[in-house]
Amino acid sequence: MRTPKDYTDNTGKPNWCPGCGNFGIEAGLKMAMSKLNLDPDNVALVSGIGCGANAPYWFNTYGLVTLHGRPLPVATGVKLGNHELTVIAWSGDGDAYGIGMGHFIHAMRRNANVTYLVGNNTVYGLTKGQASPTAEKGQISPSTPFGTPDPNIDPLALAMSSKCSFIARGFAGNLPHLSNLIAEGIKHKGFSLIDIYQPCVAWDKTHGYAYYQEKTFDLATVNHDVTNKQAALKMIFDKSEKLPIGIFYKEEREVYEDEQPQFKRGPLAHRDIENINIKAIFDQYSF
Amino acid sequence: MVGGTAGEGVDLPGTLFGKLCMSAGLRLKTNAEFHSVIKGYNNIYQIRASENPVYSHMSKYDLVLALDKDTTDLYMDDVVPGGGVIYDPDITKVEREGVKLFPVPLRAIAKEKVGLELAKNVVGIGAACGLLDYPIDILLDLLIKTFARKGKEITSKNIDAAQAGYNYVRENFPKEFDYIIKPKKNPEKTFMANGNYMITFGAIKAGCKFVSEYPMTPSSSVLHCMAKHAREYEISVNHVEDELSAINMAIGAGFSGCRSMAATSGGGFSLMTEAVGFAGMTEIPIVIVEVQRPGPSTGLPTRSGQGDLRQVLHASQGDFPKIVLSPGTHEEAFYMAFEAFNLAEMYQCPVILLTEKYLGEGDANIPFPDTTNLKINRGQLLDDNQIDDNFLRYKNTKNGISPRSIPGQKGGAHTASSYEHREDGYFTEEIDECNSIHERRMRKLDTLKNLLPPVVIEGKENAEVTLVCWGATYGPAYEAIEWLKKKGISANLLHVKYLSPLQPGINEALSKTKRPILIEGNITAQLGGLIAEKVGIDIQSKILDYSGRPFTPDQIAREVIKIIK
C-alpha cells in the first residue's frame, strides 16, 4: 500500500503562505490517493491558475497547469483521451466560479468521470485579495473598497440545477473528513464536485480556521439522505446557524464516456493509428 | 446555376445537378452564395462541370435554373450568348437577346403533379435534364437514393415532379438547346466532398481520435462530418459549450496522447487565441482548422475571405512556434490535414490549417487520393521502454525537439505548465533557464524551415506576369492563366502553401519573375506584407477582393490586363 508521501514530488516545496488552506487540500488529496492506492503514473492532476493551481508541481503524478478558468475542459479532454486514467481537476473559486463558470456548468451536465476540487476562500489570493464570486455582498477588498456590490453565487445550488451527480463540501482544516470526501469523489462514477472551505490567511482574516471549526458540522451526523434532492437543497440553502460539510447529493447516472461505443475497446490514446482504411469513406461519397 | 429563395430548396437541385454531371463522368466544382438567413433572400448555387478537371467556378453561366424572380432580375446579364434560362413564366418575365428562354411553369406543374408547390425545384432539375438531353433514369435513380430515408411517398412524389419537368421540356422545346451532357467513356472513379470534408478525411486517415468544436459557419461541416463518422472510426467527437472549451479540451486530449483537433472560423479562433499559446508553451500537439469568412467581428458569416492570415500568424501573446499551412485544392486539403497531424507531433506545437469558405464549403468530385505514401510520424513520442531515469520532458536539444511521454507511461510523469519552466517541467524565473528553454522552443521552427519544400512556380518560365496567391485563390488563379493566354498574355503561378514558417524559396522564385501580381481575398494584402517582411520583396501590383465573394478566373484575367496595359 502507498502512503501519502508516495505522491510527493520532492523537486521543490509548496510556495504557499504558512498556514494556507491549500496545504490541507494537498494533504487531503494525497491521503485520498493513498487510501485508494492509486498508481501515480495513472493519475493526471489538472489545475488552472491561482495559488492552489501550483499544486501539480509537488505531486509525482502527471500534471497540467493550464490557463485561468480552463482546467475543466482540459481535464475532460485528458479523461476522454485516456479514460483509464484517474483525472482530478483543482481550481480556486475565481478559476471555477468566475472566469470558468461556463465550463463548470457544462462539465457537470456532461458527467465525464472527473473529480473537481475547488478551494473556496472568497478571495483571489494570487492577485492580492480581490473579492471572488463566492464573497458575500459587502465584502471589502482592493477591487471593492466600498464592499462588493453583487451578492455571492452558490456553487452547490448551481450544481444541483446542473445535474451534478456528486455534490460535496469539505473544509481544509478537517483532514480526516476531507480526505474521505475526496476518496469518495474519486470513487464516484461521473463528475464529482468537492467545494472546499479554505482559509486564506493573507487576505481574509474573518474566515479563519477557528471560524470554520466553530461553524461547520458533518452532514453524516444528522442522518442526511444523500439521494434526496429536496433534502440536499434544504441543506445547501439553510445557512442560518451552522455550515454543513460532507456529501450533499449523490446519484448514479450515465457517465459521458461510458455511453459511447468509441471508448469500449480501451483508451483512444492507445489506438493503433497506422493504416486506417480511408478508402471506405471515399466509397461512401462516390454515389 | 440554380437560383432561388432561401428556404425553398436551392441546394437540392444544385447537388442533384452536380451528381448528374458526376454520373456522366465529368469533373465539377461548386460554389454556393447565400445570405446568413434560413428563409427569404436570393441564394445561388453554382456548378461548373467539364470533361477535364475544374479548378474554379465562373462568373458566367451556360444554363440558369431560376426558381424565383430575383434570380432572373439579378443574373440575366451573366448568361453567356447561346446559353439558356429555365424560369417560371407565372412569376417572372425575361427579356434578353442572344439567350435561349425556356419558360416552364414550375409551380403549376409541381402543384398539378404532386400537389406541392415546393417540389418546383425538382421539376426544374427534371427540366434541365431534358434540355441537356441526359437520360432521366439516372436522375430518377439519384432521387431514389437521396430520399431513401424519407419513405416511399416522398420519393415517388419527387420522381413524379422530375419526370413532369423533363416531359414538359421534351414536348415544348425539343432539341432547342445547343448544350448536351454527354457521358464520358470509362471515366475515372471519383467521389464528391467539400473542402471541410476533405480535411476531415485527412484527419481521420491521420488517426485523429478526438475532436471538440463549437459550431460556426463556415466550419461546421467539419464537426458534422466527424460526428457522422465518429463511431465507424472510433473518434470522440464533442459539440461543447464554446470555443474556449473546444480548444482546451482538444489540448487535454493531446496531452493524453490522442491526436486531436478543433475547427472553427475567425471569430471562434479569436476566442481560442489564449489557448493557442498554452499549447505552444506546454508543447502539446494540436491541430486547429480555421475556415475563414470575412470579418471584422460577425462580418459576412456565409461568405468567403482571406482576412485571417495575420490573426493566425500572430495569435496569442509572446513568441512561440506555431505552424500555419493553407491548402489550395480539395486534394491538398486532404493531404495537408494528414500532414498537419504529423507536424503537430513532430514539432510538438499548435498547427493551424487555414482555409476559407470557398474551399471549405465548395464541393468537388476528385479521383481517390493515393494514400500509399501517407506515413504516420509521431516524432519524439517515446515508447515505454525508452523512458529512463534521466527522462526530461523539456530536455534542451540541438534541433529544439524534446522527448515526450504521455500519462500512464511509467517514469514519464511530469508537469506540463503554462508558466515558464525548466527542462524537468518545474516552474522557474531564473534568467538562464528561461532564456535557454525559450530559445530551444523557437529552434523547432528553424528545424522545420530547413525541411519544408521550397515554393515552385507553376506554368511557363519567363512569363510576362506571375500570379502570387495562397489558399483556395489557387483555383481561380490557376485557370486565369488559360484566360490570359487567350488574350495573348503569358502568366505563371506562385502558390505559397506554408505561411509559418514561411515557405522557403520565395526570394529565388520571385527574382526570376518579370512582374509578380498578388491576388488575395483581403484589403491589406496580408501575404504581400508577410513576403515583404520576411523576404524583403514588396510586390507592388495587387488584385485584392474583400467583397466576400471568391475570385473567378475571368475576373483575375480582367484585372491583370488592367494592371499591365
Side-chain angles (χ1 to χ4, degrees):
Chain A
M1 282 299 282
R2 294 178 173 88
T3 68
K5 275 187 180 163
D6 292 325
Y7 298 91
T8 299
D9 184 311
N10 290 312
T11 308
K13 294 232 176 306
N15 53 10
W16 298 312
C17 306
C20 174
N22 281 318
F23 286 105
I25 301 175
E26 182 206 5
L29 176 55
K30 285 178 180 170
M31 284 164 73
M33 286 172 161
S34 68
K35 202 170 287 181
L36 301 173
N37 198 29
L38 301 178
D39 175 355
D41 285 322
N42 284 328
V43 175
L45 179 57
V46 183
S47 67
I49 296 294
C51 295
N54 285 330
Y57 297 120
W58 306 307
F59 282 74
N60 64 355
T61 62
Y62 280 82
L64 249 171
V65 179
T66 71
L67 298 168
H68 196 34
R70 314 297 161 221
L72 278 184
V74 178
T76 307
V78 176
K79 183 70 190 182
L80 299 181
N82 182 349
H83 62 281
E84 287 179 356
L85 300 172
T86 297
V87 179
I88 298 157
W90 181 337
S91 275
D93 43 4
D95 208 39
Y97 311 138
I99 191 169
M101 178 55 98
H103 307 312
F104 174 58
I105 287 168
H106 290 280
M108 291 189 288
R109 78 180 176 103
R110 188 175 292 124
N111 204 36
N113 195 358
V114 169
T115 303
Y116 196 26
L117 312 179
V118 185
N120 181 354
N121 59 11
T122 76
V123 292
Y124 287 80
L126 192 59
T127 52
K128 302 198 172 178
Q130 300 87 347
S132 90
T134 54
E136 283 184 23
K137 185 174 166 69
Q139 184 165 311
I140 308 278
S141 83
S143 60
T144 55
F146 307 107
T148 143
D150 311 317
N152 61 319
I153 59 140
D154 194 326
L156 302 194
L158 272 168
M160 284 300 295
S161 63
S162 305
K163 301 187 165 55
C164 185
S165 60
F166 183 102
I167 304 171
R169 177 168 272 152
F171 164 41
N174 187 344
L175 276 187
H177 182 265
L178 178 63
S179 59
N180 272 329
L181 212 51
I182 296 175
E184 288 302 311
I186 293 172
K187 277 197 304 195
H188 173 71
K189 281 189 86 54
F191 188 91
S192 43
L193 168 69
I194 303 166
D195 179 273
I196 303 165
Y197 286 137
Q198 172 203 5
C200 177
V201 294
W203 308 113
D204 181 7
K205 308 290 183 198
T206 50
H207 303 93
Y209 288 91
Y211 170 85
Y212 285 117
Q213 249 137 23
E214 161 72 28
K215 285 280 272 185
T216 54
F217 71 96
D218 186 352
L219 277 171
T221 61
V222 293
N223 285 328
H224 171 63
D225 178 3
V226 298
T227 62
N228 185 328
K229 278 187 181 171
Q230 295 305 326
L233 280 170
K234 190 166 175 291
M235 284 298 175
I236 288 168
F237 284 117
D238 183 12
K239 298 196 175 68
S240 50
E241 292 192 8
K242 291 257 182 177
L243 303 171
I245 57 171
I247 300 171
F248 285 72
Y249 182 70
K250 196 176 146 178
E251 70 171 38
E252 298 295 323
R253 72 173 178 92
E254 324 74 52
V255 175
Y256 187 72
E257 59 274 24
D258 292 353
E259 278 202 311
Q260 301 178 41
Q262 288 93 313
F263 296 91
K264 293 273 188 289
R265 291 196 308 120
L268 296 177
H270 295 168
R271 296 297 163 80
D272 179 9
I273 58 171
E274 305 279 345
N275 305 317
I276 288 172
N277 175 10
I278 198 70
K279 192 179 161 288
I281 235 174
F282 299 155
D283 277 324
Q284 289 179 45
Y285 293 88
S286 44
F287 309 111
Chain B
M1 182 262 269
V2 181
T5 307
E8 293 186 349
V10 181
D11 274 9
L12 175 68
T15 46
L16 279 174
F17 190 80
K19 287 178 184 174
L20 269 186
C21 297
M22 194 170 147
S23 72
L26 303 180
R27 294 288 296 279
L28 64 121
K29 193 161 160 64
T30 76
N31 180 55
E33 289 297 334
F34 50 101
H35 287 84
S36 182
V37 293
I38 298 298
K39 288 198 187 295
Y41 293 95
N42 175 261
N43 288 352
I44 62 169
Y45 191 100
Q46 301 158 280
I47 306 120
R48 177 144 171 262
S50 165
E51 281 194 334
N52 302 312
V54 279
Y55 294 88
S56 172
H57 72 306
M58 300 289 282
S59 59
K60 301 285 177 202
Y61 310 112
D62 298 313
L63 178 62
V64 170
L65 167 59
L67 298 171
D68 68 353
K69 186 168 180 302
D70 279 355
T71 303
T72 53
D73 287 351
L74 293 168
Y75 293 103
M76 285 311 96
D77 288 347
D78 299 328
V79 183
V80 301
V85 185
I86 302 168
Y87 65 99
D88 190 336
D90 297 332
I91 57 156
T92 185
K93 285 195 169 51
V94 181
E95 286 170 20
R96 163 87 208 270
E97 278 188 27
V99 164
K100 297 202 169 159
L101 304 181
F102 304 107
V104 179
L106 303 168
R107 282 164 181 69
I109 293 175
K111 218 164 181 181
E112 186 201 323
K113 296 289 174 187
V114 300
L116 201 68
E117 211 174 78
L118 208 61
K120 63 183 181 295
N121 51 6
V122 180
V123 175
I125 215 69
C129 192
L131 270 187
L132 294 163
D133 199 24
Y134 197 62
I136 180 81
D137 304 352
I138 297 174
L139 175 62
L140 302 185
D141 192 44
L142 280 172
L143 285 168
I144 290 168
K145 282 182 191 161
T146 306
F147 291 100
R149 279 192 305 174
K150 299 207 169 168
K152 274 190 178 159
E153 198 192 334
I154 290 185
T155 308
S156 79
K157 277 188 172 176
N158 277 288
I159 285 176
D160 291 349
Q163 185 73 55
Y166 182 86
N167 293 347
Y168 187 90
V169 164
R170 302 298 274 188
E171 281 160 26
N172 292 282
F173 313 108
K175 309 242 178 242
E176 271 187 40
F177 196 42
D178 298 335
Y179 294 76
I180 59 162
I181 295 182
K182 204 168 118 195
K184 198 176 165 182
K185 276 184 192 148
N186 306 319
E188 200 173 355
K189 191 176 181 187
T190 62
F191 70 104
M192 183 146 70
N194 66 25
N196 286 344
Y197 273 56
M198 293 305 294
I199 287 169
T200 308
F201 299 161
I204 293 173
K205 174 67 184 161
C208 175
K209 289 289 164 214
F210 187 90
V211 179
S212 39
E213 190 175 335
Y214 186 79
M216 183 169 187
T217 304
S219 68
S220 303
S221 53
V222 174
L223 174 63
H224 302 167
C225 183
M226 268 293 183
K228 188 173 158 189
H229 296 290
R231 295 194 170 181
E232 191 183 339
Y233 285 94
E234 295 189 317
I235 302 163
S236 173
V237 179
N238 308 277
H239 169 176
V240 298
E241 61 269 23
D242 54 33
E243 284 89 350
L244 304 170
S245 184
I247 182 148
N248 282 289
M249 218 180 260
I251 291 171
F255 179 72
S256 80
C258 272
R259 288 193 155 192
S260 66
M261 176 171 102
T264 186
S265 185
F269 187 82
S270 298
L271 290 175
M272 294 181 173
T273 299
E274 188 187 21
V276 174
F278 168 48
M281 186 62 150
T282 49
E283 304 186 61
I284 294 172
I286 162 97
V287 173
I288 306 158
V289 180
E290 213 260 57
V291 190
Q292 297 165 98
R293 65 194 219 190
S297 195
T298 309
L300 299 166
T302 57
R303 310 287 174 177
S304 196
Q306 298 188 301
D308 295 352
L309 175 57
R310 284 293 186 177
Q311 148 156 277
V312 302
L313 287 176
H314 301 297
S316 216
Q317 69 273 25
D319 290 311
F320 60 93
K322 184 194 301 150
I323 298 170
V324 179
L325 50 167
S326 183
T329 62
H330 285 73
E331 286 89 342
E332 220 162 61
F334 172 76
Y335 289 120
M336 272 195 172
F338 181 90
E339 185 187 4
F341 285 88
N342 275 352
L343 290 173
E345 288 211 309
M346 289 164 71
Y347 295 93
Q348 301 177 21
C349 72
V351 176
I352 298 156
L353 191 60
L354 185 60
T355 180
E356 56 281 85
K357 177 249 171 181
Y358 178 49
L359 177 57
E361 289 198 338
D363 281 323
N365 66 329
I366 61 167
F368 286 23
D370 180 9
T371 59
T372 46
N373 291 324
L374 296 183
K375 300 277 181 271
I376 301 285
N377 186 337
R378 307 206 64 172
Q380 289 299 305
L381 178 60
L382 301 182
D383 287 334
D384 293 356
N385 57 15
Q386 291 176 302
I387 302 174
D388 57 24
D389 292 346
N390 302 320
F391 172 73
L392 291 170
R393 169 65 185 94
Y394 299 105
K395 189 178 166 64
N396 197 355
T397 59
K398 220 172 154 187
N399 64 9
I401 301 162
S402 309
R404 175 172 155 242
S405 64
I406 55 172
Q409 288 188 306
K410 297 278 164 241
H414 62 274
T415 295
S417 177
S418 65
Y419 283 85
E420 191 54 284
H421 41 265
R422 309 186 307 212
E423 289 181 273
D424 61 357
Y426 201 78
F427 66 93
T428 182
E429 297 193 15
E430 295 301 320
I431 293 172
D432 289 346
E433 287 173 348
C434 292
N435 285 348
S436 158
I437 196 164
H438 197 34
E439 288 158 12
R440 198 264 300 153
R441 276 194 302 266
M442 295 308 287
R443 269 206 302 283
K444 294 193 285 187
L445 275 189
D446 298 330
T447 304
L448 170 60
K449 183 155 188 162
N450 293 325
L451 295 171
L452 285 180
V455 290
V456 288
I457 295 225
E458 289 184 62
K460 266 186 155 172
E461 273 185 48
N462 299 318
E464 271 173 84
V465 295
T466 299
L467 310 177
V468 183
C469 65
W470 62 283
T473 299
Y474 173 83
Y478 182 82
E479 291 214 358
I481 295 173
E482 276 303 304
W483 280 71
L484 287 163
K485 198 172 158 190
K486 284 181 204 152
K487 305 275 178 187
I489 299 161
S490 64
N492 56 23
L493 177 64
L494 176 60
H495 183 245
V496 183
K497 300 173 198 299
Y498 299 86
L499 288 320
S500 172
L502 186 61
Q503 198 167 1
I506 294 176
N507 193 358
E508 296 75 10
L510 283 179
S511 67
K512 286 182 209 150
T513 63
K514 289 184 180 159
R515 177 148 200 177
I517 300 177
L518 268 173
I519 304 164
E520 291 194 62
N522 59 61
I523 199 169
T524 52
Q526 298 187 9
L527 174 67
L530 184 66
I531 292 174
E533 175 197 325
K534 302 279 183 193
V535 183
I537 297 174
D538 191 1
I539 300 171
Q540 296 298 315
S541 304
K542 303 176 178 87
I543 300 172
L544 306 173
D545 189 329
Y546 32 87
S547 64
R549 276 66 171 177
F551 286 102
T552 57
D554 45 325
Q555 173 199 6
I556 293 174
R558 217 165 39 239
E559 296 292 329
V560 167
I561 292 166
K562 250 193 243 169
I563 287 173
I564 64 171
K565 289 277 154 84

